[in-house]
């Protein structure tokens, strides 16, 4: 990614973002879409980190990327991932064929999965997608998408660059001083001034530590490894997730990808270089396959079940997002997605404050909305660790959960939770859609609702088929998009106000009480779109 050289000392930025991972880059792009003119991202690493990390984005993340027009750009990456999956599947099928492991029709028996919970694989044929969560869901997003984190980071970097974000790599944030009207940020001995500072600088966040955020949680107890390696003697390694008397190991879903978990203690030095000898020893202990050898390491990392969350995501003019705000084990692939959700929620709000369109109190809704979801993720990962332990009590509980997961209701519950489709915010209003991600409604002009959210502006969708009165739109003409159309699949839905992050701030049906709907929309516009001197009136029935 091309980077811009820094300007002279003393240059002011609206926002400095520490960390150019996916969360920092997505946040920077959202800030620019929201109107922040001067956004600087600093990253201590000179290049994109190729270490194996997250490999899956959930439904809300895929929806957000699609609404910003980024999924088509990632199509080639998705296809390459699928090809690697097919190659590994065919390789393991060949091993099974040699062992005579076929069904009566001579076809290879291939497990069908829809994700996993603590390594308990879920069968998609048991999943019921008829629930209200999936009505009018974005078809391009599916239940989630396989996507290596490094490739997503590159795509977000290109997008941020196109939007005019300044990115400086090989630059480390070493300190900052908060002032009454901004933050003085030290970058490798130089100082730049910014209105706001956001720490997206990972689990060991310098910003979090220097700002004094409380970071309570539970201490680590396990040692895990994830790696892409060259293997020999691996014929007896089973594909997928496997529990043993020692711990858990994973082989696949790509050639050479391994993961091990041991429950004896956390690593003595989590951040020391991971060696082939370490990986081989752990894989042999957990799998019980003494002849397996690790002959080369392409990328490897250690992890633990350290689970902590900042008690607040904002202190004055300093904010946190992503791993800087919460850390946990990687099981279930929730960490990257949690961080992208933080960025999507914070970006437009901070941009509105920077642009003077909203009071600083709008930023209080960032912690209020995102902290509960972060707390859920920490408990979701803790529950999986509990089920993966090798002691007899945990194994007994695991058998119970396996039975539940093998039912239609159990699979549907787990897939819905893993996919993230359940996520919503507690917003004012009684309509069932208020606080939920906007449904991707098919509109009568042949478009879908999501296509109209790419600009990052709030959207008033008027489904009465007649233009809304000027008294509604005029006070917000510089910041609100109004779309008048109809929706053949939702004839009773009258209107939606959709925030820049794609969540419904207000909704009304055709049989609603008109005065109450008017008051609700006026309040939602004032709260989420900005103050207006002329006031606002709602849609009248056509």
């Amino acid at each position: 990614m091309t980077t811009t050289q820094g300007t002279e000392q003393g240059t002011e930025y609206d926002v400095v973002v520490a960390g150019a991972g996916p969360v920092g880059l997505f946040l920077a792009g959202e800030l620019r879409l929201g109107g922040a003119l001067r956004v600087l991202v600093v990253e201590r690493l000179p290049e994109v980190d190729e270490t194996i990390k997250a490999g899956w984005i959930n439904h809300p993340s895929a929806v957000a990327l699609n609404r910003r027009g980024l999924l088509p750009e990632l199509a080639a990456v998705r296809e390459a991932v699928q090809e690697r999956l097919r190659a590994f599947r065919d390789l393991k099928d060949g091993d099974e064929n040699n062992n005579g492991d076929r069904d009566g029709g001579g076809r290879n028996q291939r497990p069908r999965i829809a994700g996993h919970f603590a390594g308990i694989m879920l069968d998609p044929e048991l999943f019921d997608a008829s629930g209200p969560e999936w009505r009018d869901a974005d078809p391009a997003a599916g239940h989630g998408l396989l996507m290596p984190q490094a490739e997503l980071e590159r795509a977000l970097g290109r997008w941020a660059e196109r939007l005019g974000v300044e990115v400086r790599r090989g630059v480390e944030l070493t300190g900052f001083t908060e002032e009454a009207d901004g933050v003085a940020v030290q970058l490798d001995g130089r100082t730049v001034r910014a209105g706001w500072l956001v720490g997206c600088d990972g689990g060991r966040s310098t910003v979090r530590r220097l700002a004094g955020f409380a970071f309570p949680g539970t201490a680590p107890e396990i040692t895990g490894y994830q790696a892409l390696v060259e293997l020999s003697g691996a014929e007896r390694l089973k594909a997928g997730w496997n529990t043993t008397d020692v711990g858990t190991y994973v082989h696949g879903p790509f050639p050479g990808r391994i993961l091990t978990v041991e429950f004896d203690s956390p690593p003595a030095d989590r951040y020391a270089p991971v060696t082939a000898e370490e990986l081989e020893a752990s894989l042999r202990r957990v799998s019980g396959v003494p002849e397996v050898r690790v002959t080369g390491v392409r990328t490897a990392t250690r992890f633990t079940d350290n689970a902590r969350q900042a008690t607040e995501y904002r202190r004055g003019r300093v904010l946190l997002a992503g791993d800087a705000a919460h850390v946990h084990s990687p099981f279930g692939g929730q960490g990257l997605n949690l961080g992208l959700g933080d960025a999507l929620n914070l970006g437009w709000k901070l941009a509105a404050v920077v642009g003077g369109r909203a009071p600083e109190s709008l930023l209080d809704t960032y912690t209020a909305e995102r902290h509960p979801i972060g707390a859920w993720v920490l408990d979701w990962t803790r529950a999986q660790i509990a089920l993966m332990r090798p002691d007899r009590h945990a194994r007994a509980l695991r058998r119970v959960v396996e039975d539940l997961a093998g039912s239609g209701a159990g699979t549907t519950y787990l897939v819905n939770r893993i996919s993230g489709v359940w996520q919503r915010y507690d917003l004012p209003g009684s309509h069932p859609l208020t606080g939920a991600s906007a449904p991707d409604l098919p509109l009568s002009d042949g478009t879908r609702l999501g296509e109209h959210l790419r600009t990052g502006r709030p959207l008033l969708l008027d489904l009465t088929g007649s233009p809304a009165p000027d008294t509604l739109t005029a006070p917000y003409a510089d910041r609100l998009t109004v779309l008048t159309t109809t929706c053949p699949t939702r004839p009773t839905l009258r209107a939606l106000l959709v925030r820049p992050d794609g969540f419904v701030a207000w909704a009304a049906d055709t049989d609603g009480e008109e005065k109450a709907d008017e008051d609700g929309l006026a309040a939602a516009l004032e709260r989420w779109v900005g103050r207006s001197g002329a006031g606002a009136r709602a849609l009248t029935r056509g």
Side-chain angles (χ1 to χ4, degrees):
M1 177 176 58
T2 303
T3 58
T4 304
Q5 295 298 316
T7 51
E8 294 302 315
Q9 182 171 339
T11 297
E12 291 190 349
Y13 293 91
D14 293 325
V15 183
V16 169
V17 178
V23 175
L25 292 170
F26 194 39
L27 173 64
E30 290 295 302
L31 287 165
R32 285 287 294 157
L33 280 180
L37 299 179
R38 301 161 299 177
V39 180
L40 171 65
V41 180
V42 294
E43 169 59 54
R44 65 178 181 82
L45 297 177
E47 303 291 342
V48 172
D49 186 0
E50 300 290 346
T51 303
I52 184 170
K53 294 181 180 178
W56 179 75
I57 54 176
N58 67 7
H59 179 79
S61 296
V63 167
L65 294 173
N66 200 32
R67 287 175 174 174
R68 297 300 184 248
L70 289 168
L71 280 193
E73 183 177 343
L74 293 166
V77 175
R78 292 166 57 192
E79 180 54 36
V81 170
Q82 292 295 331
E83 192 60 40
R84 293 171 66 195
L85 285 170
R86 286 190 287 268
F88 182 76
R89 181 195 64 191
D90 292 343
L91 174 66
K92 298 311 290 182
D93 280 347
D95 293 341
E96 291 172 357
N97 291 344
N98 292 334
N99 294 327
D101 193 6
R102 289 175 177 262
D103 65 15
R107 294 168 300 170
N108 298 334
Q109 294 184 14
R110 296 174 180 174
R112 298 180 302 274
I113 61 172
H116 75 88
F117 182 74
I120 300 170
M121 310 314 292
L122 306 174
D123 185 341
E125 292 195 0
L126 295 174
F127 173 64
D128 181 3
S130 65
E133 305 92 339
W134 296 102
R135 184 180 181 185
D136 293 319
D138 187 337
H143 298 161
L145 303 170
L146 291 170
M147 184 65 55
Q149 180 167 320
E151 294 300 331
L152 178 60
E153 184 175 323
R154 290 188 180 91
L156 290 173
R158 293 189 294 268
W159 177 66
E161 185 179 52
R162 291 194 297 269
L163 291 173
V165 173
E166 180 183 347
V167 179
R168 301 189 202 174
R169 286 194 172 273
V171 174
E172 187 168 5
L173 183 150
T174 56
F176 60 85
T177 303
E178 186 173 352
E179 302 168 347
D181 58 349
V183 185
V185 184
Q186 285 80 54
L187 305 174
D188 285 341
R190 298 181 57 197
T191 300
V192 298
R193 295 194 72 259
W196 301 83
L197 171 65
V198 185
C200 300
D201 49 343
R204 295 185 291 170
S205 171
T206 299
V207 173
R208 183 188 67 233
R209 176 175 56 82
L210 294 179
F213 284 88
F215 201 50
T218 51
E221 298 179 2
I222 70 169
T223 295
Y225 297 95
Q226 183 175 203
L228 284 176
V229 299
E230 302 295 331
L231 290 173
S232 66
E235 292 77 15
R236 289 178 53 205
L237 288 179
K238 296 179 181 179
W241 287 75
N242 303 276
T243 57
T244 73
D245 291 340
V246 176
T248 295
Y249 80 92
V250 183
H251 185 205
F254 307 121
R257 189 257 185 166
I258 60 170
L259 181 149
T260 65
V261 182
E262 298 182 75
F263 290 83
D264 50 356
S265 64
D269 184 355
R270 180 180 170 185
Y271 301 101
V274 180
T275 66
E277 292 75 17
E278 267 185 281
L279 295 171
E280 180 177 292
S282 181
L283 186 57
R284 287 181 174 184
R285 283 193 300 268
V286 179
S287 70
V289 179
E291 64 269 26
V292 67
R293 292 196 59 212
V294 175
T295 58
V297 180
R298 293 169 53 192
T299 173
T301 185
R302 293 183 193 85
F303 63 87
T304 72
D305 57 335
N306 182 39
R308 299 183 181 278
Q309 183 181 23
T311 54
E312 56 188 342
Y313 291 178
R314 176 195 171 202
R315 297 196 70 185
R317 289 181 170 266
V318 181
L319 300 106
L320 303 177
D323 289 350
H326 35 68
V327 295
H328 50 83
S329 75
F331 299 121
Q334 298 291 331
L336 171 61
N337 298 292
L338 184 57
L340 292 175
D342 292 346
L344 186 67
N345 187 284
L346 174 60
W348 68 276
K349 294 175 180 177
L350 184 52
V353 172
V354 165
R357 301 185 304 278
E360 286 189 20
S361 59
L362 178 63
L363 296 176
D364 296 337
T365 68
Y366 170 53
T367 297
E369 292 175 4
R370 293 303 300 172
H371 198 277
I373 296 179
W376 175 86
V377 167
L378 265 65
D379 280 346
W380 187 254
T381 60
R382 288 181 179 122
Q384 293 181 77
I385 290 292
L387 283 179
M388 293 167 65
R389 294 186 183 282
D391 64 84
R392 293 183 66 180
H393 292 84
R395 291 300 162 86
L397 178 60
R398 185 181 184 88
R399 287 190 288 272
V400 173
V401 176
E402 285 174 338
D403 285 344
L404 293 172
S407 67
T411 291
T412 300
Y413 169 80
L414 290 170
V415 171
N416 282 344
R417 303 302 281 185
I418 293 167
S419 71
V421 70
W422 59 274
Q423 294 180 11
R424 60 186 300 142
Y425 301 134
D426 184 15
L427 304 185
S430 60
H431 194 280
L433 288 176
T434 301
S437 180
D440 194 36
L441 300 175
L443 305 177
S444 56
D445 62 1
T447 65
R448 301 187 73 95
L449 173 59
E451 299 174 46
H452 299 278
L453 300 176
R454 292 186 178 176
T455 62
R457 288 164 60 96
L459 171 70
L460 178 62
L461 180 65
D462 174 3
L463 296 174
T464 65
S466 58
D470 288 343
T471 53
L472 170 71
T473 59
Y476 303 97
D478 63 334
R479 67 195 75 170
L480 175 68
T481 298
V482 179
L483 176 62
T484 301
T485 183
T486 59
C487 175
T489 64
R490 293 285 187 109
T492 63
L493 185 61
R494 184 155 62 96
L496 294 175
L497 177 64
V498 184
R499 303 190 321 187
D501 57 2
F503 282 77
V504 177
W506 168 90
D509 290 329
T510 55
D511 61 354
E513 199 282 312
E514 187 170 351
K515 179 61 167 63
D517 288 344
E518 289 180 355
D519 292 344
L521 179 55
L525 286 167
E526 179 118 359
R527 179 177 179 86
W528 303 115
V529 182
R531 298 189 182 95
S532 68
R537 297 286 33 155
L539 297 169
T540 58
R541 290 186 175 89

